[in-house]
Amino acid sequence: MTARFLPSGDTGLVVQLSDVADHATNARVRQLFEAVNAGGLAGVIEAVPTYRSLLVQYDPLVTTQADLTRAIEPLISTESTVRIDRVRRWELPICCDGDDFAPDLAFMAHHASLTTKDIVEILAETEQTVYMLGFAPGQPYLGDLPEAMIIPRRANPIPKAPKGSVVTATGKTVIYPVDNPTGWYLLGRTPVEIFRAGATEPALFAPGDRLVFKPISRSEYDDLEQRARHGDYQPNAEIIS
């Protein structure tokens, strides 16, 4: 589809690149994000990549939506794949033991006609992509779960999913950096601090990163959680591009 330029209030412009959210579209969004950041466009305050769109916040005293649209149009690539610098592959520990950490694991297994062990193994074997950050600071939205694990959102949200909860719905995965109400299903918890407000790079992940989960025991979780709280632990990551 031809890119669509949609107003977002009087200080924002949404550049929608596709009607579908997939790897190719998301790669184009990230490429446009880098191009806008590097372009020195007048009035641009911030660009925020999402699954299939780029939100550009601007100063209306410096530029207009019409002028910004004309400036961005030449930056849009029609290529389906792009090379993004510093893409990392993370190995993130997850504990799926107990009803407090994984209260919905059995329900998910029943929904998928699998065992709880099968679900944990799928999480460990599936490399997921960080499509975007949002809703809470540094909160990653991951994709690419197999069809068996695609489940609708809850009919009735719950008031609290603890910090570090790994939740899923509609084939996507989210990791909560803070306690949060949710309409998604809780499959486990990670001890990793995925957002640190005072750090040079507060968000652990970036759009385009890849992630696999590494199942750990409750005792391993307790040890890593204490180390992470004191800034003495960070998960393994390798740069893959």
Side-chain angles (χ1 to χ4, degrees):
M1 61 167 276
T2 302
R4 287 191 284 190
F5 292 83
L6 308 170
S8 179
D10 56 0
T11 62
L13 179 66
V14 173
V15 187
Q16 183 179 327
L17 299 184
S18 177
D19 290 326
V20 298
D22 56 20
H23 276 261
T25 298
N26 192 250
R28 291 179 61 210
V29 170
R30 288 183 281 116
Q31 183 186 51
L32 181 60
F33 168 71
E34 292 190 349
V36 168
N37 282 341
L41 305 183
V44 170
I45 298 172
E46 181 183 24
V48 182
T50 69
Y51 278 98
R52 60 180 186 172
S53 304
L54 184 72
L55 170 64
V56 182
Q57 297 282 358
Y58 64 92
D59 184 344
L61 300 179
V62 176
T63 189
T64 65
Q65 288 188 358
D67 287 343
L68 197 54
T69 296
R70 284 191 289 269
I72 292 175
E73 279 180 323
L75 303 179
I76 297 174
S77 170
T78 58
E79 297 179 12
S80 60
T81 59
V82 295
R83 178 182 175 87
I84 304 294
D85 290 337
R86 199 170 169 263
V87 172
R88 298 161 297 181
R89 185 180 187 271
W90 296 90
E91 185 178 78
L92 195 73
I94 182 175
C95 181
C96 302
D97 296 345
D99 289 341
D100 53 343
F101 276 18
D104 299 316
L105 187 60
F107 180 82
M108 170 61 77
H110 175 75
H111 171 82
S113 298
L114 298 169
T115 67
T116 55
K117 181 181 178 181
D118 291 333
I119 297 297
V120 175
E121 288 179 351
I122 289 172
L123 283 174
E125 294 169 357
T126 304
E127 183 178 274
Q128 300 188 62
T129 298
V130 178
Y131 282 95
M132 59 174 283
L133 305 179
F135 190 77
Q139 178 176 304
Y141 282 81
L142 313 171
D144 313 322
L145 286 177
E147 186 174 353
M149 287 186 62
I150 297 176
I151 187 171
R153 297 185 186 210
R154 293 175 183 269
N156 299 300
I158 59 175
K160 180 182 176 181
K163 171 185 174 181
S165 291
V166 178
V167 302
T168 187
T170 66
K172 298 176 177 62
T173 309
V174 163
I175 307 166
Y176 286 134
V178 294
D179 293 352
N180 203 77
T182 189
W184 297 36
Y185 292 91
L186 284 70
L187 300 184
R189 196 179 302 176
T190 181
V192 174
E193 296 279 347
I194 65 171
F195 182 80
R196 288 185 174 275
T200 303
E201 294 186 13
L204 184 63
F205 307 115
D209 281 356
R210 310 291 173 80
L211 185 151
V212 292
F213 288 103
K214 177 184 178 183
I216 59 174
S217 67
R218 180 63 68 96
S219 61
E220 289 174 303
Y221 175 94
D222 292 339
D223 175 62
L224 293 179
E225 192 273 336
Q226 185 174 20
R227 289 174 55 192
R229 198 182 329 126
H230 291 90
D232 190 35
Y233 171 73
Q234 182 165 296
N236 294 326
E238 60 175 329
I239 297 176
I240 57 178
S241 71

